[in-house]
Amino acid sequence: MQNTKRSIPTLKDSGKFGKSYTRIPLGKKFGPTQTLRRLTILWVDNAGVPFVTSGFFCEARTLNGTRLATARFDAFGTAVFRTIGTPTTRTLVLRTFDADGVIFRTRTVRSGISAFVFIG
């Protein structure tokens, strides 16, 4: 009769501190270990490549139209709302604008999120 219990091998780090690491068995389920602290918006094309969004900005509003915050996009398609913590506690309406104030996209996003991606 074979022993079906598998031991988990320990790996030795080749760095100067010589730490030991335990290999995680395949199939083990993990939960999230970190979350974003502020609502983060990404704007990418259909291939997932961020748009060059210098000068663009995003606005977050409640469903009744009250503006909560505005965040500027950086050159790599990322905007962070510094005043909206995560996970969000209410449904939001997100709108993106160019530097001249022309609206590009409007999306309604549910509560309980940490990040949202505009695709296209």
Side-chain angles (χ1 to χ4, degrees), residues 1-98:
M1 186 169 176
Q2 252 182 347
N3 184 358
T4 59
K5 185 175 180 182
R6 296 181 358 198
S7 65
I8 300 172
T10 301
L11 302 176
K12 195 73 164 167
D13 185 313
S14 60
K16 72 177 188 178
F17 296 111
K19 296 180 181 178
S20 295
Y21 297 95
T22 302
R23 184 177 297 213
I24 307 299
L26 294 176
K28 182 151 176 105
K29 300 206 182 215
F30 289 97
T33 57
Q34 71 182 51
T35 59
L36 299 169
R37 294 180 184 267
R38 299 290 175 220
L39 180 61
T40 303
I41 309 300
L42 300 174
W43 198 354
V44 301
D45 65 14
N46 289 333
V49 178
F51 283 114
V52 176
T53 50
S54 296
F56 286 70
F57 63 97
C58 188
E59 179 181 79
R61 292 182 177 261
T62 62
L63 288 176
N64 67 8
T66 304
R67 183 171 41 172
L68 297 175
T70 302
R72 294 212 169 271
F73 280 97
D74 63 13
F76 307 103
T78 305
V80 178
F81 286 99
R82 304 259 179 233
T83 58
I84 301 177
T86 61
T88 57
T89 58
R90 62 177 90 180
T91 299
L92 299 173
V93 177
L94 300 175
R95 301 190 314 170
T96 59
F97 300 86
D98 68 4

